[in-house]
Amino acid sequence: MKTLAGVVLLGLAVAAPVQAAVKDAQPNGFTLENSEWVPVAPQVAYAALVNDVGRWWPADHTWWGDASKLSISDKAGGCFCEINGAQQAWHMTVTFNDPGKLVRMTGGLGPLQGMGLHGALEWRFVEENGGTRITLWYRAGGYTPDDIGKFAPVVDKVQGLQLGGLATFLRKRNEGAPR
C-alpha cells in the first residue's frame, strides 16, 4: 500500500526546476527559493502573476486539470482560488500586497494542504538589468507523521515549474510586443 507521502513524491518528481535552492529542510519544515529574470518591468510581471495566472500556471498542477479555473484576488484577505463549478479549492490567502514589489500568501499548496501543513509564500519583484528578478520563496511547516524536510526537493521542483511558467509567459509576450 502506498503512503500519501510516497504518492506525493512520485507524482511531483517529474517537475523540472528553474534556478532553485532548498534553503533549509528539517523534519518539521523547509524553506525554498526559486528565482528567474524576465525582460519586463516589475509592474508587468506582477500584473501577469495576478491577472493571467490561468494562462501560465501548469494545468497538471491544478485539482481539476484546467488552469483557466485559477484566480488571484490581490488584496489582503484575497483568495488564490480554483473554481470549477461546485468543485472549489482555496489554495492560499493573500496576506500582504505591495503591487509590483511583493505578494505574500499563506496556506498549503496542493497535497500539503491535505496533509495539514501551512506555509508563507512570497512572489518578490525586483528591477534588475532592465528587467525584473522574480523570486518565489516558500516556507512550509506543521505536523505530519512524515519528515516534512524530505518533501523539500520535490516541492522545490514544482515551484520551479510554476515560476518557469510565469517567466516563459512573460518572455513570449515580450517577444510579441512592439519595440
Side-chain angles (χ1 to χ4, degrees):
M1 182 176 172
K2 293 181 181 178
T3 66
L4 177 59
V7 171
V8 169
L9 289 173
L10 179 63
L12 298 180
V14 297
V18 180
Q19 296 174 356
V22 174
K23 295 294 193 181
D24 65 75
Q26 304 296 322
N28 63 339
F30 56 80
T31 304
L32 312 172
E33 185 173 282
N34 288 274
S35 178
E36 246 328 300
W37 181 87
V38 293
V40 300
Q43 285 289 16
V44 172
Y46 166 84
L49 169 75
V50 299
N51 298 324
D52 297 315
V53 64
R55 296 178 62 196
W56 58 263
W57 190 273
D60 59 340
H61 288 278
T62 64
W63 287 113
W64 297 286
D66 184 352
S68 73
K69 306 296 184 183
L70 294 170
S71 64
I72 297 174
S73 174
D74 64 339
K75 56 186 89 175
C79 182
F80 175 19
C81 287
E82 184 175 351
I83 307 294
N84 186 40
Q87 297 173 310
Q88 302 180 14
W90 186 301
H91 295 291
M92 302 193 99
T93 301
V94 174
T95 56
F96 182 92
N97 188 35
D98 188 355
K101 295 178 183 176
L102 173 69
V103 178
R104 180 178 302 123
M105 303 177 197
T106 58
L109 284 171
L112 299 181
Q113 182 187 68
M115 295 169 72
L117 304 179
H118 190 76
L121 179 137
E122 293 184 354
W123 291 90
R124 302 171 183 162
F125 304 90
V126 176
E127 192 171 342
E128 178 183 296
N129 298 325
T132 301
R133 169 73 50 193
I134 304 172
T135 301
L136 175 55
W137 179 91
Y138 190 44
R139 177 170 288 152
Y143 171 77
T144 182
D146 301 304
D147 178 348
I148 298 169
K150 292 180 182 177
F151 294 102
V154 176
V155 176
D156 186 57
K157 287 180 182 180
V158 172
Q159 295 226 321
L161 181 65
Q162 293 158 349
L163 176 58
L166 175 58
T168 298
F169 174 78
L170 287 165
R171 288 185 185 112
K172 286 181 180 177
R173 191 161 82 178
N174 189 58
E175 288 171 5
R179 302 207 189 273

